[in-house]
Amino acid sequence: MRPPVAPAGWSRWLVPPAALSVHLSIGQAYAWSVFKPPLESALGLNGTQSALPFQLGIVMLGLSAAFGGTLVERNGPRWAMTVALVCFSSGFLLSSLGAATEQYWLIVFGYGFIGGIGLGIGYISPVSTLIKWFPDRPGMATGIAIMGFGGGALIASPWSAQMLESFGSDSGGIALAFLVHGLAYAVFMTLGVLLVRVPRPTAEEAGGAARAAVTGPQVSAKQAIRTPQFWCLWIVLTMNVTAGIGILEKAAPMITDFFADSSTPVSASAAAGFVALLSAANMAGRIGWSSTSDLIGRKNVYRLYLGVGALMYLLIALWGDASKPLFVLCALVILSFYGGGFATIPAYLKDLFGTYEVGAIHGRLLTAWSTAGVLGPLIVNWVADSQESAGKHGANLYGVSFIIMIGLLVVGFVANELVRPVHARHHVVPAPREPADDIDAAAADRTERA
């Protein structure tokens, strides 16, 4: 499938909606918790078992993005979006069959393995194309698309809950809900497949940005993973995501535990509202902070994510159980940084490695997400279980894990400070010389001849 080239006069502002149609669909992954209680009741599962499809999906997201990134670059966004559509929708259809026949392994395989491949390929499918269309505002462009992944649950969560209420929460109702999801998302993602275009060879022909996309240093994906800059950013992303997902995964029970002994404990409905607020902060951070990075620079905005994030965790650890507004505000800031980190990292990669194979490099970097997806929940849940076994309760369940998160964010902050421009020996396309460089070179040549 050849990448579709934009005709003359094509508006670059049609590309973000194409990306959003895919990201809003695959963002359903954050709403998996809606299916957990019905599955546990209908199939006799425990909490750990009902989480397997989501956990496997996140692991496959990172792995498929890493191994499929080069194919995405080679074959273009339409091919990638088509693969994502087929895998993500097929995952739901297999899950529907698994629920109907009460074969849970089919749900794990369908949603987690096959659907997880769709998550990874779909997540990276528009990134390189958006950066090439918006070389003047790469943070804003990728933020618009990746905002959709964070906001997908805001649509999917109430929609899924309504379907389960209408169809029933037994195995037959769950199967029908999965079937409707698979078909509906296939139609919605098709819009992105049909709409997406790549820019013409020059910015003038495409009617796009003021200069051609391929400028500055250009580094291949194979070469990028040999640079210290790549691994510094891998650590940065791992630490930032670990800190955010540690709260996101356990948000409702966490706020309930923090104020269980207060005069105004948190109700179940209020805890659910807190989770919705966190999702909104996650989504807003993806467009807000990534756009801010276009103004203040990527390194500076990651200093904010990691440094201020550590401060927010410290405030919660010290005084979070004494003030609900303080707890909620700090958690919202942390989750906005969590979302912003995802949306800003493609632009950071573009700054360091160029647009040559930025999609493939981004895919390899997303293995950090797979790592953090295991690490964050493991830290918070393991510490909480250990503290509970020791006879502690309430906010005391989380103090140690918050200190660990602060330490991880400090490690990420140091890694960000170590990021420097990529050495010229790694470039595959030499950076064009500035006029001042030409003048200096000419002057040096005249001096040598004299």
Side-chain angles (χ1 to χ4, degrees), residues 3 11 19 30 47 56 101 113 141 143 196-197 268 290 305 320 340-341 354 366 391 435 437:
S11 173
Y30 279 143
L56 180 58
T101 59
F113 186 81
V196 73
R197 298 287 188 278
S290 60
Y305 299 158
L366 287 182
D437 295 335

Side-chain angles (χ1 to χ4, degrees), residues 97-108:
L97 179 61
T101 59
E102 299 189 0
Q103 297 293 315
Y104 187 58
W105 70 270
L106 261 179
I107 299 177
V108 175

Side-chain angles (χ1 to χ4, degrees), residues 150-186:
L154 293 179
I155 299 171
S157 183
W159 183 43
S160 301
Q162 182 59 50
M163 274 195 283
L164 290 170
E165 183 177 335
S166 301
F167 301 151
S169 57
D170 59 355
S171 59
I174 296 170
L176 189 53
F178 281 154
L179 177 63
V180 173
H181 274 75
L183 297 177
Y185 283 132

Side-chain angles (χ1 to χ4, degrees), residues 94 116 128 155 159 234 264 305 320 325 376 396 401:
L94 281 172
S128 177
I155 299 171
W159 183 43
W234 192 92
T264 55
Y305 299 158
N396 293 325
S401 61

Side-chain angles (χ1 to χ4, degrees), residues 69-407:
T70 302
L71 290 174
V72 172
E73 286 289 329
R74 183 183 305 151
N75 297 320
R78 176 169 287 180
W79 174 88
M81 288 180 177
T82 302
V83 170
L85 183 161
V86 171
C87 290
F88 190 65
S89 296
S90 296
F92 268 115
L93 298 181
L94 281 172
S95 297
S96 177
L97 179 61
T101 59
E102 299 189 0
Q103 297 293 315
Y104 187 58
W105 70 270
L106 261 179
I107 299 177
V108 175
F109 178 74
Y111 188 94
F113 186 81
I114 302 297
I117 294 173
L119 287 177
I121 300 298
Y123 191 87
I124 64 174
S125 61
V127 169
S128 177
T129 302
L130 282 166
I131 288 176
K132 289 171 182 175
W133 274 110
F134 293 86
D136 50 333
R137 284 181 282 182
M140 179 214 69
T142 55
I144 289 174
I146 294 174
M147 174 186 69
F149 191 87
L154 293 179
I155 299 171
S157 183
W159 183 43
S160 301
Q162 182 59 50
M163 274 195 283
L164 290 170
E165 183 177 335
S166 301
F167 301 151
S169 57
D170 59 355
S171 59
I174 296 170
L176 189 53
F178 281 154
L179 177 63
V180 173
H181 274 75
L183 297 177
Y185 283 132
V187 172
F188 193 56
M189 294 172 75
T190 299
L191 298 176
V193 172
L194 297 176
L195 192 60
V196 73
R197 298 287 188 278
V198 297
R200 295 177 70 84
T202 65
E204 291 78 11
E205 288 176 309
R211 58 189 176 87
V214 182
T215 58
Q218 304 295 320
V219 182
S220 69
K222 182 178 179 180
Q223 196 66 24
I225 61 173
R226 299 176 181 176
T227 65
Q229 288 85 351
F230 177 89
W231 293 107
C232 282
L233 289 188
W234 192 92
I235 293 171
V236 165
L237 187 61
T238 301
M239 300 301 104
N240 191 60
V241 173
T242 300
I245 210 168
I247 286 183
L248 186 62
E249 189 270 342
K250 204 174 175 66
M254 183 181 292
I255 193 171
T256 302
D257 290 337
F258 254 78
F259 300 100
D261 297 330
S262 70
S263 58
T264 55
V266 176
S267 65
S269 60
F274 174 62
V275 174
L277 279 176
L278 292 181
S279 296
N282 178 11
M283 182 175 66
R286 291 172 187 248
I287 181 63
W289 292 122
S290 60
S291 296
T292 301
S293 76
D294 288 333
L295 302 176
I296 68 173
R298 313 316 158 193
K299 179 174 279 193
N300 285 333
V301 84
Y302 271 95
R303 286 169 174 154
L304 190 70
Y305 299 158
L306 300 160
V308 177
L311 177 61
M312 294 297 102
Y313 260 114
L314 181 62
L315 290 176
I316 294 177
L318 294 177
W319 299 293
D321 59 341
S323 171
K324 285 180 187 175
L326 177 67
F327 179 92
V328 171
L329 177 63
C330 290
L332 291 177
V333 171
I334 291 170
L335 262 294
S336 76
F337 291 161
Y338 168 81
F342 279 122
T344 310
I345 204 70
Y348 208 162
L349 292 172
K350 177 259 182 187
D351 293 345
L352 290 171
F353 302 109
T355 60
Y356 178 59
E357 287 187 338
V358 69
I361 299 170
H362 183 223
R364 285 159 172 76
L365 195 76
L366 287 182
T367 54
W369 191 356
S370 296
T371 303
V374 174
L375 191 60
L378 179 64
I379 291 172
V380 174
N381 287 291
W382 178 78
V383 170
D385 290 343
S386 299
Q387 296 297 307
E388 189 173 15
S389 299
K392 296 184 179 180
H393 65 281
N396 293 325
L397 297 175
Y398 303 98
V400 174
S401 61
F402 285 179
I403 298 301
I404 294 174
M405 293 299 181
I406 292 170

